[in-house]
Every structure is written in structure tokens, then in C-alpha cells.
Amino acid sequence: MVNVIVGCQVCGAKTSGGRVCGNCTTGLAHTLRHLAARLPDLRIVASKKATVMAREQGHGSRTVAPIPLNAGAWQLQQSIEKYAVTLAGVLTLPYRKLPAESLLKGAASRTPALMQRRDAASIHTLATIASRRLDRQLEPPQSRILIGQCPACGDDVWSSDDDLAAGWQPCTCGQTINIPSVQEQRIFKLAISDAQGTAAALSRLLKNCGIEVKRKTISKWKARGALKPVGQQDGKPVYLLWDVWAAYNR
């Protein structure tokens, strides 16, 4: 029997008898274990809550809960946990009562099976991007702020003051990032849950997205009738995040 020499779906190297080469298969196992090892630290970063509130869906009901202070870390945590459950599902591993760390470790021990799938390259790419995003969350680049994700590759976009002033920057995947568009997508993901808070709380949240909107400015919009409060908190007006964002873009 003659082995057919083909190209690895991930790196392009010659390989026989499989879709992915041995180096990439071993590399995926290492990446999955790395995600499992650092996920607890990410949870700690994401667990700090802000004073901005939003409605969250759970078990058939909608409850009001505070938005994580580090929305980027929280969104990444959700993404990694969903990825872990997906891997467990395709490997027919029990996952309903196991933490994501255990699922990632279980998947790491079965990477040869994963790399024989038709979507092997996507599985490998998602793990690589998640690992890079996690490391940056725990060790963020100096003088840069996370504004959202690249629409082309899904990697995090960390912008400097010069990038924010220019309105664009290159991504590591080669695409040119439209910064206002990426920021809007991040705000939209938060706003669809009816995120709301006082002028000061929303000002802090927007600042964490690289958007400078002062508390006094939000109050002035209310005085001019450009912004209407939807409630009160400790005697202070509460606004919807999306309404503030709309007023900012008028």
C-alpha cells in the first residue's frame, strides 16, 4: 500500500495518512492544556463587576445583573467555555457537569481524533486565537486598550492613543481595522442586553472601550433633551448604553 503525501491543513507541511501533521496535532494539545491552565486566572479578571446593569437570559427567565468591569475578559471567558463544550460534544465526552478546564484537558488527550475531522483547521485556528487573546488579557500590552475583535479573524484589537486618533490600524491577519466600526460592534453586544447605568458608570464603561464620553457631557445631553433617562439609581438618572452611544454619534 502506498502512502499518499498531502499537505497539512494547518501549516501546509507534507504529511501522510492524515489531514494534519504531527507537529500541529501536538501543538493543539499544548494549546488546549494552556487554555485549561490559564482559564481560572481569566475568571478572576472577569469576575469584578461594574455598576452598569444588564438583563441576562438564564433558565427561561430574564434577570438584571451587573456587567463585568472587564467586559473583554468576560466575553473571552464565555467564548472559551463555549469552545470547550463544542469540542466535548464532537468527541462525545460528558460535559454537562464538568468545568471547561476538564473538557479542554480531555480534548487535549484526543487531539489526533480532532485533527482527522474536516474542520480540523478551524478547530486549530480557534484554539490558537483564543490562547493569544487569553495571554493578552492577563498580560495586556502597555499603553494600549482593547476596543473589540477583528471582523476578519476574530483576534482582539488593542489600540494605542495614536490608533484611536487615526481611526484605523492594521491587524496581525493583514486586514485594516476600522476602529469606530469595531467599537460599535462591541457596544452593540453589550447594548442588546439593555445595558444601563448612571452617567458616571456609562462613562467609565465607554472609556474601557477607548471611547471618551465625560459624565458631564451625558448630563448636558439630558438637559438639552437629546437623552432621556429610563430610571433612577440612588437618586441619579439611569440611561441605556445604546441611547448614550446614539447621542455620541449624532
Side-chain angles (χ1 to χ4, degrees):
M1 182 176 180
V2 179
N3 287 334
V4 178
I5 306 299
V6 296
C8 171
Q9 288 186 359
V10 176
C11 70
K14 291 182 179 180
T15 180
S16 60
R19 298 176 183 273
V20 177
C21 70
N23 286 338
C24 289
T25 300
T26 301
L28 175 63
H30 174 78
T31 301
L32 293 176
R33 293 190 185 99
H34 180 73
L35 288 173
R38 304 209 77 180
L39 186 55
D41 293 332
L42 181 67
R43 283 202 181 92
I44 294 173
V45 174
S47 64
K48 297 180 180 179
K49 302 297 182 178
T51 53
V52 177
M53 309 293 287
R55 298 187 181 279
E56 59 179 14
Q57 189 81 32
H59 305 293
S61 63
R62 284 171 63 86
T63 57
V64 177
I67 288 178
L69 190 61
N70 189 327
W74 178 76
Q75 289 172 336
L76 177 57
Q77 174 192 324
Q78 300 298 308
S79 178
I80 292 175
E81 290 176 346
K82 182 178 180 180
Y83 176 66
V85 170
T86 300
L87 293 183
V90 301
L91 291 169
T92 65
L93 299 174
Y95 60 85
R96 296 190 182 278
K97 295 183 180 181
L98 293 176
E101 291 89 334
S102 297
L103 301 181
L104 290 167
K105 291 176 183 178
S109 66
R110 293 167 175 80
T111 51
L114 287 173
M115 292 297 91
Q116 289 302 313
R117 292 174 53 87
R118 291 186 177 182
D119 56 355
S122 295
I123 290 173
H124 196 285
T125 298
L126 289 172
T128 301
I129 291 177
S131 178
R132 183 162 60 242
R133 291 178 63 192
L134 190 155
D135 288 343
R136 284 187 176 182
Q137 277 288 347
L138 299 180
E139 299 154 12
Q142 290 186 354
S143 303
R144 287 182 175 269
I145 189 168
L146 175 62
I147 65 164
Q149 282 73 50
C150 172
C153 70
D155 203 354
D156 284 340
V157 180
W158 292 81
S159 302
S160 66
D161 289 340
D162 289 342
D163 294 327
L164 294 172
W168 67 274
Q169 70 184 87
C171 180
T172 54
C173 71
Q175 293 293 316
T176 298
I177 301 295
N178 182 307
I179 290 178
S181 177
V182 170
Q183 290 173 316
E184 183 173 45
Q185 284 300 311
R186 188 177 186 194
I187 296 300
F188 178 72
K189 289 178 181 179
L190 296 172
I192 57 176
S193 298
D194 297 331
Q196 56 190 268
T198 63
L202 292 178
S203 176
R204 288 193 295 270
L205 179 66
L206 289 167
K207 187 175 182 179
N208 287 335
C209 298
I211 303 164
E212 190 71 31
V213 181
K214 296 185 180 300
R215 175 189 61 78
K216 291 183 179 179
T217 300
I218 297 175
S219 298
K220 287 180 180 179
W221 288 337
K222 172 181 176 293
R224 294 172 185 169
L227 188 62
K228 295 182 179 180
V230 294
Q232 285 196 338
Q233 179 181 332
D234 298 328
K236 298 178 182 178
V238 169
Y239 308 95
L240 287 174
L241 172 62
W242 190 254
D243 289 345
V244 172
W245 176 250
Y248 171 75
N249 283 283
R250 284 196 185 103

